[in-house]
Amino acid sequence: MLWIMQFSGFFSAAMMMIVLSPSLQSFPPAEAIRSSHLDSYIRLPSFQVSTSPDSQDDRFSFRKAFEFRNADECGFADHKTTGVCDPTLVHVAITLDVQYLRGSIAAVHSILQHSLCPENVFFHFLVSETDMETLVRSTFPQLKFKVYYFDPEIVRNLISSSVRQALEQPLNYARNYLADLLEPCVRRVIYLDSDLVFVDNISKLWSTNLRSRTIGAPEYCHANFTKYFTNSFWSDDRFSGTFRGRKPCYFNTGVMVIDLVRWRRAGFTRRIERWMEIQKSNRIYELGSLPPFLLVFAGRVAPIEHRWNQHGLGGDNVRGSCRDLHPGPISLLHWSGSGKPWLRLDSKRPCPLDALWAPYDLYRHPH
């Protein structure tokens, strides 16, 4: 641990804030894709995942998490009777992808550990390749969750090449279809990327006032917004004119609070698809699934405090270099970019901030 002592004074202070602050410590003990009519999960032809220590496939072996229980002030709700439609639930959507599975498990673990009412959190897992219900249940026996199958063919012909191949994966676009995938009784959901951890109570984020907006996210208006689109986009008024009358700012789509009622009413899925169709013939952007969201929502986002998305910790989309924390309080750490903490830790070449992700890692390393 000697390398930790070499951090800058700024990072040391930031890390101490996370460790010592009471608010950051864990609390005690489209019709073609709809899957909501299935009771528990979708069985898909795939390899078998295992949580057994004797399993030959150690890539998918995780330790069992501690059991997390609600605090007394959470009150009592009979979730077994009301199920996913219980109005007291906090709904979280996150993908389970083979490449990022370790990150997703760590994200869930961090949410439970820092939640005052962990039994009131319901997870909606989006998959496109494997049946992971057994793995999730073995790792989190008490977890309230459901698995939804997202058919990659829905978007395969809409996806354009990007600056990084990982950004072209169909499951990255599943968030566009949450309003169709989730049950109609689910009126709001927090969408999360797989490469982040919470260090605060997710209920605080859930209670965000969206006012008249459909989505809420931290905005970064100091960022150079023009770089997210090509010169041909800005030079053609048919495209750039979409921002007329708006004050668009960059926002990261890895952490969003979404009003599904407004989304369904306005048909935002189709609006996003339309921009993806235009991209196929006109090449108006370079960066995967983010630009269509910016085209539809930038300038129309309910702003959320930056503490809820300390993003960019994975470096840029090419080199994945180490980054420092942004100034200010922290509730969520996000390794967006090409560098992922589990890969850097395993390679024995971690960045300093990767040490903040490690405590939530439940991966069982091969002997």
Side-chain angles (χ1 to χ4, degrees), residues 265-280:
R265 186 184 303 133
F268 282 119
T269 295
R270 182 57 194 143
R271 298 191 196 185
I272 291 173
E273 287 180 331
R274 179 57 184 147
W275 280 114
M276 294 175 70
E277 292 167 353
I278 292 173
Q279 159 74 355
K280 294 291 287 187

Side-chain angles (χ1 to χ4, degrees), residues 12-53:
S12 297
M15 187 169 181
M16 288 299 291
M17 177 188 67
I18 293 176
V19 172
L20 298 179
S21 174
S23 66
L24 300 185
Q25 292 179 13
S26 60
F27 294 98
E31 296 181 348
I33 55 174
R34 182 174 297 282
S35 64
S36 59
H37 63 282
L38 299 181
D39 290 335
S40 56
Y41 61 92
I42 304 247
R43 295 187 181 276
L44 304 173
S46 63
F47 57 81
Q48 183 179 2
V49 294
S50 173
T51 55
S52 168

Side-chain angles (χ1 to χ4, degrees), residues 216-220 250-252 255 301-309:
E219 291 184 295
Y220 303 90
Y250 163 75
F251 64 94
N252 181 279
V255 180
V301 175
I304 294 177
E305 288 183 90
H306 289 180
R307 67 187 303 152
W308 290 107
N309 196 349

